[in-house]
Amino acid sequence: MASRIEKTETEKAYYAGYVDGEGCITLSKNKGSNKWHTTPIFYYLEVMVANTHPETLFDLKRDFGGSIYGDRRRSPNKTVYRWRIICSKALIFLETILPYLRQKRKQAELMIEYQKKIGAKEFWKGQGIKLTIEESRRREDLYKQMRELNRRGI
């Protein structure tokens, strides 16, 4: 996959509308100390889009990578499909659709800035990276800011 995805302006706008309506852009937080991470807490950019019709989700996966999974727990009569992309691939996706985002533009701008600052090294190669207290607080504050921006009803 190229570092920048060549899509038509119409495709970019369509994907942006899909994310605005059906998606979530966030800074996810997980506790470490598993086989991949030994730091107490790590943060990573995540974009997720959910829908009961998976066709566009498969297009997103084909064009940008990521993964798709189905879930029947929340809707026993229909499978809800979720496309998920993280870190550097999510950065490329957000940069591609940013000019067309409306509802989630602020989240995208914050996460683009965050991912560019940390790069890919921490999530994939950074097992055991110790953050300074200041950096840990900065990331926690950003995590809380993203949660507030993504709160329903705002």
Side-chain angles (χ1 to χ4, degrees):
M1 182 176 356
S3 62
R4 293 291 173 257
I5 306 298
E6 296 299 324
K7 302 305 297 172
T8 68
E9 298 307 306
T10 301
E11 289 170 313
K12 293 175 190 179
Y14 180 75
Y15 287 156
Y18 216 71
V19 170
D20 269 340
E22 306 290 337
C24 177
I25 302 167
T26 194
L27 182 64
S28 290
K29 173 175 134 176
N30 281 323
K31 293 182 179 177
S33 299
N34 60 33
K35 67 180 180 178
W36 296 288
H37 298 278
T38 58
T39 55
I41 295 175
F42 62 97
Y43 301 85
Y44 59 94
L45 164 59
E46 179 177 22
V47 177
M48 189 177 301
V49 180
N51 203 290
T52 56
H53 302 284
E55 295 81 10
T56 300
L57 303 180
F58 284 109
D59 291 343
L60 286 164
K61 182 176 190 243
R62 178 197 66 220
D63 292 345
F64 297 97
S67 59
I68 295 175
Y69 61 94
D71 184 359
R72 292 189 82 122
R73 290 176 289 163
R74 294 187 186 178
S75 178
N77 299 324
K78 285 188 173 183
T79 300
V80 176
Y81 297 93
R82 287 180 173 76
W83 172 70
R84 177 178 180 257
I85 192 168
I86 61 173
C87 301
S88 296
K89 288 182 179 181
L91 171 64
I92 292 167
F93 175 66
L94 291 177
E95 287 178 329
T96 301
I97 66 169
L98 182 65
Y100 302 99
L101 283 171
R102 296 180 65 156
Q103 302 298 320
K104 295 184 171 78
R105 185 178 190 87
K106 180 69 173 171
Q107 291 95 320
E109 291 171 341
L110 285 169
M111 290 296 90
I112 287 169
E113 179 183 336
Y114 170 79
Q115 190 63 41
K116 283 183 173 180
K117 182 176 186 223
I118 68 160
K121 63 185 178 299
E122 286 187 35
F123 189 78
W124 297 113
K125 300 175 189 168
Q127 296 86 357
I129 288 178
K130 302 288 187 217
L131 300 177
T132 64
I133 292 171
E134 295 80 23
E135 183 61 18
S136 293
R137 286 184 182 143
R138 188 185 77 75
R139 291 184 190 193
E140 183 63 21
D141 289 346
L142 183 58
Y143 170 77
K144 289 176 182 174
Q145 182 181 5
M146 291 300 293
R147 285 186 56 114
E148 183 65 24
L149 286 169
N150 286 326
R151 201 175 78 204
R152 290 182 188 217
I154 292 183

